[in-house]
Amino acid sequence: MSTAGERNNFKILVFISLSTLLQVIYEQEGVFIHSSCGKNDDQDSLISGVLRVIEKENEVIVDWRPLADTLDASNILCAGKDSSSVVEWTQTPKEKCSRGADRPISYEAEWDMVTTVSFKKKPHSNGDATTHANGESKWSFLFSLTDLKSIKRNKEGMGWSYLVFCLKDDVKLPALHFHHGDSKLLIKCLEKHVVLNESPQDKRILLVNSQNKSLSQSFENLFDESSYGLLQKLKKDPYTVTMGRFSKVTNYIFDSFRLSDPSSQRRPPSEMADFLNDAIPGLKINQQEEPGFEVITRIDLGKQPEVSRREPVSAEEWAKNMDSEGRILNVDYIKQLIFKGGLCHTLRKEAWKFLLGYFPWNSTKEERASLQKRKTDEYFRMKLQWKSVSEEQEKRNSRLRDYRSLIEKDVNRTDRTNKFYEGEDNPGLILLHDILMTYCMYDFDLGYVQGMSDLLSPLLYVMENEVDAFWCFVSYMDQMHQNFEEQMQGMKTQLIQLSTLLRLLDSGFCSYLESQDSGYLYFCFRWLLIRFKREFSFQDILRLWEVMWTELPCQNFHLLLCCAILESEKQQIMDKHYGFNEILKHINELSMKIDVEYILCKAEAISMQMMNCKELPQAVSEILGIESSSVTPDSDTGEDESGAVLSCPTSLYQSVSTPVIAANGTRDSTQQMSETQSSTPA
């Protein structure tokens, strides 16, 4: 153990054998102690060391030691595990800034990153660290974050970046000087575990806010992936937070506002709602200030009609609707079939190219083959652009480095329970990586934003072809682009539109949500951002997406799917008097428990209910794409009493005489909808 004199200079709380299993979440070499600072020596004595932040069980340790004390590489494991228990590469700051000589020549070989990453010990000549008899240098120190009181930073532009840690018993540790990079990465790492606030008296000092620590940790528990403190992270990158399961709220939310007596110390839900509103200011909805906002009074929509679904479109049905040159004979009819039943899996590889706009509906087989050849050449030219970037070039291209880093991180945890992507060195993961990197070349302004891998994964799974998957992804991103733009205007618009539709559907439920500070519908954010990708099973998503891509029965059908899910849960939410926290928790726990066929039936019934409304508000008409020049589906004369009509094909509400799935999920071979012979191809 250290002497009393040494404890006056440093506080060594715990000695940990780093040879045991632990997780290094931050590591930086070139962190020096200037041992003669403040003395009259001509030059400081520099002691070079390694600074690490280590997670061991439920404790977070900050550890610095001279290079002479650093451990052998075989003793340090730097691999974490994500929520699906797939080993995930933990890249260190040093590796992020500079890829060493050990970097594989082939990009494909980089997928060895799922194995353990170790640190190498480098020789340094400077430094005069004294070594104790037990092998520990007197300069080595480590402490638990629970004992950290404050961090003092250097002035901007004043030499090397340095930090001084002050512990709760007012012991100040030696200043750590960051010669090889600044200290910002360390601060961001620590903010994952403690809340740091600038001191009002000195902006260089960051105070550890122990009272709010539980708030930060409770929120970090909501996400699969946590990097920084919640508030800072939400404000900086709400997309990343959302993809880390923004909706995954537990009962700990309000616990973080309680002290010893929950009954007397509990804060009102409105304060929690204000926190979320402030955290994502770009998404705060003030309907009274939004252009085109229309106050919707209570309107009787009538009873929801009975809706049934048919069997998936078969290969035989698809072939019958194609001429000898490969043209689709009746596009509206085939879209209607897909909307009502989806596609059998063998058809998806071909049909999805039409649904997404990669193949024109009126193209011949020969024209499509020529298009694929051109698109293949174009794809590989773009792929070559990033493949040919040298290490030296990449060092000077921070955006490309950032894109690559985020893609590598996301790809390695995307749908890893699916056999197509499971296991190490999986070729599916390599293709995901390469397609996303190539998309950065296609749209460098947008580049890569977290969540895009979720949209690509089902496309690659179905196409089983790199080039076809890329161009289908490009088409899908054309639809979804606004969701990922920095200003989030697309997300804000959709939340406003969803609120408008839900208020028309059930104003009482809307009022209840507002009374529980849930009226902004933030819990639907993830649904909208990646089109329910994490709410349904993988196979159900294939069905849901292909139905939505038909663009039937109206515009923004995905918003009606949201309404259908919420209306299905309304009774439980209201009967059990769920508050803010309980609503968020309940909605999140619906993930993977929703019956896709039932929700499709219900959403279609809601669309028919709204389209048949005689006093449909103008705002709703615009959201659903209703115009005054088309024919309503239930009108034989071409115009209903209200004059509000649909712009979608009337064949939507026609169906062939096949077994159907009713809204309750049962099969009925006798139930049929009206069949129009003119819609059936000859």
Side-chain angles (χ1 to χ4, degrees), residues 32-37 41 43-48 127-129 139:
F32 287 75
I33 287 179
H34 296 195
S35 63
S36 55
C37 285
D41 297 22
Q43 185 175 357
D44 292 342
S45 178
L46 304 181
I47 303 173
S48 178
D128 62 349
W139 296 104

Side-chain angles (χ1 to χ4, degrees), residues 89-306:
W89 182 41
T90 304
Q91 191 180 36
T92 66
K94 178 187 66 174
E95 292 167 359
K96 289 180 181 178
C97 296
S98 174
R99 298 171 185 262
D102 294 335
R103 174 179 174 169
I105 296 175
S106 168
Y107 282 92
E108 283 74 10
E110 289 184 2
W111 292 105
D112 291 334
M113 67 185 180
V114 294
T115 59
T116 298
V117 178
S118 60
F119 298 94
K120 293 186 177 180
K121 181 174 164 183
K122 295 184 179 179
H124 282 256
S125 57
N126 59 339
D128 62 349
T130 304
T131 304
H132 288 213
N134 62 4
E136 290 283 345
S137 165
K138 75 171 186 176
W139 296 104
S140 300
F141 67 82
L142 53 87
F143 61 88
S144 170
L145 276 189
T146 57
D147 290 310
L148 181 61
K149 179 181 179 181
S150 65
I151 305 172
K152 184 175 182 179
R153 300 172 291 183
N154 62 298
K155 290 184 179 179
E156 290 286 342
M158 296 294 289
W160 285 309
S161 172
Y162 71 80
L163 296 176
V164 178
F165 294 104
C166 180
L167 305 182
K168 289 182 178 178
D169 55 2
D170 293 327
V171 171
K172 289 187 178 180
L173 298 174
L176 297 180
H177 296 256
F178 292 73
H179 289 203
H180 300 166
D182 60 34
S183 57
K184 293 180 181 177
L185 283 175
L186 174 62
I187 296 297
K188 290 178 179 178
C189 176
L190 297 181
E191 286 179 330
K192 173 182 175 181
H193 303 281
V194 293
V195 177
L196 299 175
N197 297 320
E198 286 186 354
S199 168
Q201 288 75 32
D202 187 345
K203 290 186 177 181
R204 292 187 300 162
I205 296 178
L206 297 175
L207 302 175
V208 177
N209 190 335
S210 57
Q211 181 179 357
N212 289 335
K213 181 181 177 183
S214 59
L215 171 63
S216 175
Q217 291 181 333
S218 296
F219 269 99
E220 295 294 358
N221 288 335
L222 311 185
F223 313 125
D224 289 339
E225 170 64 21
S226 55
S227 298
Y228 314 138
L230 174 76
L231 187 57
Q232 294 90 335
K233 192 175 179 185
L234 280 169
K235 289 182 176 179
K236 182 177 181 181
D237 191 354
Y239 293 119
T240 302
V241 172
T242 300
M243 295 318 306
R245 294 185 181 266
F246 174 79
S247 302
K248 189 177 181 182
V249 179
T250 70
N251 285 325
Y252 298 118
I253 286 184
F254 285 120
D255 291 342
S256 63
F257 286 109
R258 302 172 187 167
L259 298 178
S260 57
D261 184 359
S263 62
S264 62
Q265 301 293 340
R266 181 166 180 164
R267 290 195 180 189
S270 59
E271 294 193 25
M272 192 64 238
D274 289 341
F275 176 87
L276 292 178
N277 297 337
D278 293 339
I280 317 180
L283 284 176
K284 189 168 183 177
I285 302 172
N286 187 338
Q287 292 180 315
Q288 299 297 338
E289 296 178 0
E290 290 301 320
F293 173 74
E294 178 180 358
V295 176
I296 296 178
T297 56
R298 191 177 186 89
I299 296 175
D300 183 12
L301 292 176
K303 185 179 179 181
Q304 284 184 9
E306 291 287 335

Side-chain angles (χ1 to χ4, degrees), residues 114 124 128 189 254 271 406 421 436-437 478 615 626 634:
V114 294
H124 282 256
D128 62 349
C189 176
F254 285 120
E271 294 193 25
L406 190 54
Y421 298 110
L436 292 170
M437 284 296 297
D478 287 344
E615 299 176 345
I626 294 177
D634 59 339

Side-chain angles (χ1 to χ4, degrees), residues 140 260 392 442 575 600:
S140 300
S260 57
E392 288 300 314
Y442 175 84
D575 287 354
L600 283 169

Side-chain angles (χ1 to χ4, degrees), residues 501-519:
L501 293 174
L502 190 61
R503 183 167 297 280
L504 173 65
L505 183 65
D506 195 324
S507 60
F509 184 40
C510 260
S511 297
Y512 178 83
L513 292 176
E514 289 173 354
S515 71
Q516 303 302 321
D517 296 288
S518 300

